[in-house]
Amino acid sequence: MMKNGHHQAGKPGEDAEASPVAVACSPEKRRRIVRVWCDGCYDMVHYGHSNQLRQAKAMGDYLIVGVHTDEEISKHKGPPVFTQAERYKMVAGVEGGGPGAPYVTTLETLDKYTSDFCVHGDDITLTVDGKDTYEEVKKSGRYRECKRTQGVSTTDLVGRMLLMTKAHHSNIGNSEYQQHTDNFGRGPKGHSPWTGVSQFLQTSQKIIQFASGKEPQPGDTIIYVAGAFDLFHIGHVDFLEAVYKLSDKPYVIVGLHFDQEVNRYKGKNYPIMNVHERTLSVLACRYVSEVVIGAPYTVSKDLLDHFKVDLVCHGKTEVFPDRDGSDPYTVPRRKGILRIVDSGNSLTTDDIVQRIIKNRLLFQARNQKKEAKEMAVIQAMKRREEEKAKERAQAVL
């Protein structure tokens, strides 16, 4: 699913040591390939995960991603939203993945996959008994830290979906949303900075980091698809992969509808992710070349001409009419360039929401338990800092 999941000297699939560049160098000058390990639940893969993998990849030459099993996640954290098969597939675009990675990262795991070190965000991951899952590799010096993406987490997204079962809310600041944040992600001893509901602030730098920066080349087939792509999931990935495979040289442009437009045709409290969050999630997909932020709902002649579109694709899902009741795909249909693509995956955002609602109490308990463990660690760290401060003060005296 992730774009540029790994980088390796030489051509893709070619052994690094046998690449033309490596052969031309003397053994003394030949640089050793640095292998980086990342692991996690990767449940509801979002742009925060993509950003972690992007940062980890930049620390070495070859990225290996380990995905925890359902059993491991349920034991230490609580029930995952997606099955392990779905989660494996979401990160399958990262070559060298290690399905079934243990929840606690050990030196044995790093050695098994011949990894130099592992990379994790600057939050904390705890076992069922409250221990740091990276303690062993930290002590051995084989641990690196990357910046956690602020404003999104699987915990946050699950919380937003749980809110779907209540009355509609007009904005994030109303009393019902505040009650949701208090009930969903707050333990008895305060609020953890790593768990709970937060707001995402888009910046141009974030978009640049995720964008491919590639322009269409002569001979490329420019394919346009449009939609909400809310809670970017494996159903979306399978659809985009099927679209990508329609051509030998595809250039896939995704048109993302503004939040108000999505709410018009989806109703309820959709979209769960705002247009800025959805932009980064779609840009992280390896099959996507460009994203149109706030694309018009109707695919017009002007839009097709502007992007020089060769094909327009839509899934087998329902097509909602535009505000005036017209078919949004009238123009590409008449031009004979509309393709209905069957990805073989019928999973929808609604299906994911229903999974959450069905296990509402389990997910609420999971997040409250997670935050309680995190708060215990934070308080212990605070006590240690206070003790050190006292020791320094006494030393001065």
Side-chain angles (χ1 to χ4, degrees), residues 223-226 239 243 246 311-315 329 337-339 341:
I223 308 174
Y224 181 79
V225 301
F239 168 70
V243 168
L246 291 176
L311 286 177
V312 175
C313 295
H314 191 276
Y329 292 95
I337 61 172
L338 181 64
R339 301 288 185 273
V341 177

Side-chain angles (χ1 to χ4, degrees), residues 22-91:
V23 170
C25 296
S26 65
E28 292 78 19
K29 293 183 178 180
R30 186 181 301 162
R31 188 171 67 86
R32 187 176 66 83
I33 297 300
V34 177
R35 294 168 63 90
V36 181
W37 170 267
C38 273
D39 57 26
C41 303
Y42 299 103
D43 195 19
M44 294 179 61
V45 173
H46 49 68
Y47 59 89
H49 294 123
S50 305
N51 198 30
Q52 179 217 15
L53 297 178
R54 180 189 64 80
Q55 292 179 79
K57 182 190 66 178
M59 296 183 189
D61 303 290
Y62 194 95
L63 179 63
I64 307 168
V65 181
V67 183
H68 304 321
T69 64
D70 291 348
E71 183 180 2
E72 284 277 274
I73 296 171
S74 296
K75 175 185 174 182
H76 293 281
K77 189 175 182 179
V81 178
F82 286 92
T83 66
Q84 59 195 48
E86 291 170 327
R87 292 184 290 107
Y88 292 165
K89 199 170 184 181
M90 282 294 284
V91 297

Side-chain angles (χ1 to χ4, degrees), residues 5 83 103 128 162 168 181 186 207 262 279 285 293 309 313 353 389:
T83 66
Y103 198 79
V128 66
L162 285 175
H168 287 49
T181 63
R186 180 162 297 185
I207 295 177
V262 175
T279 296
C285 180
I293 305 171
V309 175
C313 295
V353 172

